[in-house]
Amino acid sequence: PAPSSCRHCHCHAAAAIDRSCKSYLANSLFIFGEFGGNDYNAMLFGNYNTDQASTYAPQIVDTIGAGVEKLVAMGAVDVVVPGVLPIGCFPIYLTIYGTSSAADYDALGCLKKFNDLSTYHNSLLQAKVSALQAKYKSARIMYADFYAGVYDMVRSPSKYGFSSVFEACCGSGGGKYNYANSARCGMSGASACASPASHLSWDGIHLTEAAYKQITDGWLNGAYCHPGITH
C-alpha cells in the first residue's frame, strides 16, 4: 500500500481535478440531444406503426430525464433539452408513407399520425423538463421547441427565405419531394440543388444549414426555447 502521505496527496489532487471539472461544466452550455428521433426512426422504418412506437415514448423521455440529472450532478448548469421534429412534414416520410387519402394529411400537407407521435413525445418531455426545473433550482434547464420552429417554417416559408419546404435539396426522383430510397443524397443518381438556402430539407430527413440557422436564432432569443438561452 502507498504511504499515507501519498494517499493524502492523491486525494487532494483528485479533489482539485474534480473542482476544476465542475467549474468547467458549470461554465459550459450543453445541448442535450435531440434524443428520441432516431429511436422512432428505427421503429417506424422497422415496420412498427405509430401507435406501437408511441408506447416507447415514456421510456425514451425517462431516459432523457435521467441523463440530464446525471449531467447536473456532474456540475452542469446550463442545459438545453430539445424535443423531436415534425417528422410528418419530412420528404422521407411523405414519400414512403404517403397515401391517397386527404384525411391522412393536415392543412399544410404533413402526415398527421407521424406528427402526432412527435407532439406526444414532446408533451411528455416538456412535463419532464418542468419537473427537472422545479427540482434543480440552481440550474438553467431549458426546453428547446424543435417542433414549433420547424412547423412554422413549413407554414410560412417565405418569412424565413424558403421557396421549398417539402422538396429535398439533395436527392433524386424529382416531383414534390425529390426523395428516393434507392438514390438518397450521396448515392449514385442523386444530386444537390443549386440553392440549398432556399430549401428547408437538405436530404429528406435532415434540414439545411439555413434552416438550422433559423432554429439557432429561435433558441438563443427565446422564441423557441423556454427560457431563451441568452435570457
mmCIF file of all heavy atoms in Angstrom, residues 3 10 16 41-43 53 61-62 72 108 123 128 152 177 183 199 209:
data_model
loop_
_atom_site.group_PDB
_atom_site.id
_atom_site.type_symbol
_atom_site.label_atom_id
_atom_site.label_comp_id
_atom_site.label_asym_id
_atom_site.label_seq_id
_atom_site.Cartn_x
_atom_site.Cartn_y
_atom_site.Cartn_z
ATOM 1 N N PRO A 3 2.249 4.926 1.022
ATOM 2 C CA PRO A 3 2.331 5.648 2.293
ATOM 3 C C PRO A 3 1.157 6.597 2.423
ATOM 4 O O PRO A 3 0.623 7.099 1.439
ATOM 5 C CB PRO A 3 3.655 6.407 2.170
ATOM 6 C CG PRO A 3 4.435 5.673 1.121
ATOM 7 C CD PRO A 3 3.435 5.113 0.190
ATOM 8 N N HIS A 10 -2.769 12.217 -3.223
ATOM 9 C CA HIS A 10 -3.616 11.733 -4.314
ATOM 10 C C HIS A 10 -5.042 12.240 -4.129
ATOM 11 O O HIS A 10 -5.681 12.685 -5.101
ATOM 12 C CB HIS A 10 -3.589 10.201 -4.353
ATOM 13 C CG HIS A 10 -4.533 9.623 -5.366
ATOM 14 N ND1 HIS A 10 -4.272 9.646 -6.716
ATOM 15 C CD2 HIS A 10 -5.747 9.028 -5.209
ATOM 16 C CE1 HIS A 10 -5.278 9.081 -7.363
ATOM 17 N NE2 HIS A 10 -6.189 8.696 -6.469
ATOM 18 N N ALA A 16 -8.930 18.444 -6.455
ATOM 19 C CA ALA A 16 -8.661 19.637 -7.260
ATOM 20 C C ALA A 16 -9.137 19.442 -8.690
ATOM 21 O O ALA A 16 -9.725 20.344 -9.305
ATOM 22 C CB ALA A 16 -7.162 19.939 -7.250
ATOM 23 N N ASN A 41 -37.335 6.682 -35.617
ATOM 24 C CA ASN A 41 -36.994 6.315 -36.995
ATOM 25 C C ASN A 41 -36.735 4.817 -37.115
ATOM 26 O O ASN A 41 -37.220 4.163 -38.046
ATOM 27 C CB ASN A 41 -35.737 7.066 -37.460
ATOM 28 C CG ASN A 41 -35.985 8.534 -37.729
ATOM 29 O OD1 ASN A 41 -37.110 8.941 -37.978
ATOM 30 N ND2 ASN A 41 -34.927 9.331 -37.682
ATOM 31 N N ALA A 42 -35.962 4.283 -36.173
ATOM 32 C CA ALA A 42 -35.632 2.856 -36.214
ATOM 33 C C ALA A 42 -36.881 1.997 -36.133
ATOM 34 O O ALA A 42 -37.000 0.981 -36.839
ATOM 35 C CB ALA A 42 -34.675 2.513 -35.072
ATOM 36 N N MET A 43 -37.806 2.406 -35.284
ATOM 37 C CA MET A 43 -39.041 1.630 -35.149
ATOM 38 C C MET A 43 -39.930 1.786 -36.377
ATOM 39 O O MET A 43 -40.448 0.792 -36.924
ATOM 40 C CB MET A 43 -39.790 2.056 -33.885
ATOM 41 C CG MET A 43 -39.145 1.592 -32.595
ATOM 42 S SD MET A 43 -40.116 1.972 -31.123
ATOM 43 C CE MET A 43 -39.585 3.653 -30.785
ATOM 44 N N ALA A 53 -44.965 2.541 -31.763
ATOM 45 C CA ALA A 53 -43.803 3.364 -31.422
ATOM 46 C C ALA A 53 -44.090 4.274 -30.240
ATOM 47 O O ALA A 53 -43.217 4.505 -29.388
ATOM 48 C CB ALA A 53 -43.374 4.191 -32.634
ATOM 49 N N VAL A 61 -38.376 9.236 -22.854
ATOM 50 C CA VAL A 61 -38.345 10.516 -22.132
ATOM 51 C C VAL A 61 -37.749 10.340 -20.734
ATOM 52 O O VAL A 61 -36.982 11.197 -20.269
ATOM 53 C CB VAL A 61 -39.760 11.125 -22.065
ATOM 54 C CG1 VAL A 61 -39.806 12.297 -21.091
ATOM 55 C CG2 VAL A 61 -40.188 11.585 -23.457
ATOM 56 N N ASP A 62 -38.064 9.244 -20.063
ATOM 57 C CA ASP A 62 -37.473 8.990 -18.749
ATOM 58 C C ASP A 62 -35.955 8.862 -18.848
ATOM 59 O O ASP A 62 -35.220 9.327 -17.964
ATOM 60 C CB ASP A 62 -38.059 7.709 -18.127
ATOM 61 C CG ASP A 62 -39.453 7.918 -17.564
ATOM 62 O OD1 ASP A 62 -39.879 9.078 -17.402
ATOM 63 O OD2 ASP A 62 -40.138 6.907 -17.288
ATOM 64 N N VAL A 72 -26.335 17.306 -14.539
ATOM 65 C CA VAL A 72 -26.423 18.330 -13.489
ATOM 66 C C VAL A 72 -25.617 17.905 -12.260
ATOM 67 O O VAL A 72 -24.931 18.719 -11.635
ATOM 68 C CB VAL A 72 -27.900 18.605 -13.127
ATOM 69 C CG1 VAL A 72 -27.999 19.500 -11.906
ATOM 70 C CG2 VAL A 72 -28.629 19.247 -14.312
ATOM 71 N N LEU A 108 -51.357 21.699 -44.017
ATOM 72 C CA LEU A 108 -50.117 22.108 -44.675
ATOM 73 C C LEU A 108 -49.562 21.036 -45.600
ATOM 74 O O LEU A 108 -48.624 21.290 -46.355
ATOM 75 C CB LEU A 108 -49.058 22.470 -43.634
ATOM 76 C CG LEU A 108 -49.404 23.614 -42.678
ATOM 77 C CD1 LEU A 108 -48.226 23.909 -41.749
ATOM 78 C CD2 LEU A 108 -49.800 24.868 -43.444
ATOM 79 N N SER A 123 -44.831 16.464 -25.527
ATOM 80 C CA SER A 123 -45.641 16.793 -24.347
ATOM 81 C C SER A 123 -45.091 16.103 -23.106
ATOM 82 O O SER A 123 -45.038 16.701 -22.019
ATOM 83 C CB SER A 123 -47.104 16.405 -24.576
ATOM 84 O OG SER A 123 -47.266 14.999 -24.676
ATOM 85 N N LYS A 128 -41.455 16.553 -18.267
ATOM 86 C CA LYS A 128 -40.222 16.097 -17.609
ATOM 87 C C LYS A 128 -39.293 17.273 -17.331
ATOM 88 O O LYS A 128 -38.730 17.393 -16.228
ATOM 89 C CB LYS A 128 -39.519 15.065 -18.491
ATOM 90 C CG LYS A 128 -38.179 14.555 -17.972
ATOM 91 C CD LYS A 128 -38.341 13.742 -16.697
ATOM 92 C CE LYS A 128 -39.063 12.434 -16.959
ATOM 93 N NZ LYS A 128 -39.114 11.588 -15.738
ATOM 94 N N ASP A 152 -43.392 26.093 -38.115
ATOM 95 C CA ASP A 152 -43.672 27.460 -38.559
ATOM 96 C C ASP A 152 -42.987 27.748 -39.890
ATOM 97 O O ASP A 152 -43.504 28.516 -40.705
ATOM 98 C CB ASP A 152 -43.237 28.479 -37.507
ATOM 99 C CG ASP A 152 -43.827 29.862 -37.776
ATOM 100 O OD1 ASP A 152 -45.061 29.960 -37.914
ATOM 101 O OD2 ASP A 152 -43.062 30.834 -37.857
ATOM 102 N N TYR A 177 -41.385 15.797 -53.709
ATOM 103 C CA TYR A 177 -40.485 15.547 -52.578
ATOM 104 C C TYR A 177 -39.027 15.315 -52.974
ATOM 105 O O TYR A 177 -38.135 15.462 -52.139
ATOM 106 C CB TYR A 177 -41.001 14.346 -51.771
ATOM 107 C CG TYR A 177 -42.441 14.475 -51.357
ATOM 108 C CD1 TYR A 177 -43.373 13.488 -51.668
ATOM 109 C CD2 TYR A 177 -42.894 15.602 -50.674
ATOM 110 C CE1 TYR A 177 -44.707 13.610 -51.288
ATOM 111 C CE2 TYR A 177 -44.220 15.741 -50.295
ATOM 112 C CZ TYR A 177 -45.124 14.728 -50.613
ATOM 113 O OH TYR A 177 -46.442 14.861 -50.252
ATOM 114 N N ALA A 183 -31.862 6.049 -54.238
ATOM 115 C CA ALA A 183 -30.843 7.019 -54.663
ATOM 116 C C ALA A 183 -30.892 8.223 -53.737
ATOM 117 O O ALA A 183 -31.212 9.334 -54.146
ATOM 118 C CB ALA A 183 -31.072 7.423 -56.117
ATOM 119 N N HIS A 199 -34.142 25.999 -49.443
ATOM 120 C CA HIS A 199 -34.840 24.767 -49.075
ATOM 121 C C HIS A 199 -34.843 24.557 -47.563
ATOM 122 O O HIS A 199 -33.870 24.892 -46.883
ATOM 123 C CB HIS A 199 -34.172 23.553 -49.723
ATOM 124 C CG HIS A 199 -34.472 23.400 -51.181
ATOM 125 N ND1 HIS A 199 -34.090 24.339 -52.106
ATOM 126 C CD2 HIS A 199 -35.108 22.415 -51.875
ATOM 127 C CE1 HIS A 199 -34.479 23.942 -53.324
ATOM 128 N NE2 HIS A 199 -35.102 22.777 -53.203
ATOM 129 N N GLU A 209 -28.533 23.985 -43.706
ATOM 130 C CA GLU A 209 -27.846 24.904 -42.800
ATOM 131 C C GLU A 209 -28.687 26.159 -42.575
ATOM 132 O O GLU A 209 -28.707 26.707 -41.468
ATOM 133 C CB GLU A 209 -26.479 25.286 -43.375
ATOM 134 C CG GLU A 209 -25.447 24.173 -43.319
ATOM 135 C CD GLU A 209 -24.072 24.642 -43.763
ATOM 136 O OE1 GLU A 209 -23.906 25.857 -44.033
ATOM 137 O OE2 GLU A 209 -23.162 23.800 -43.840
#
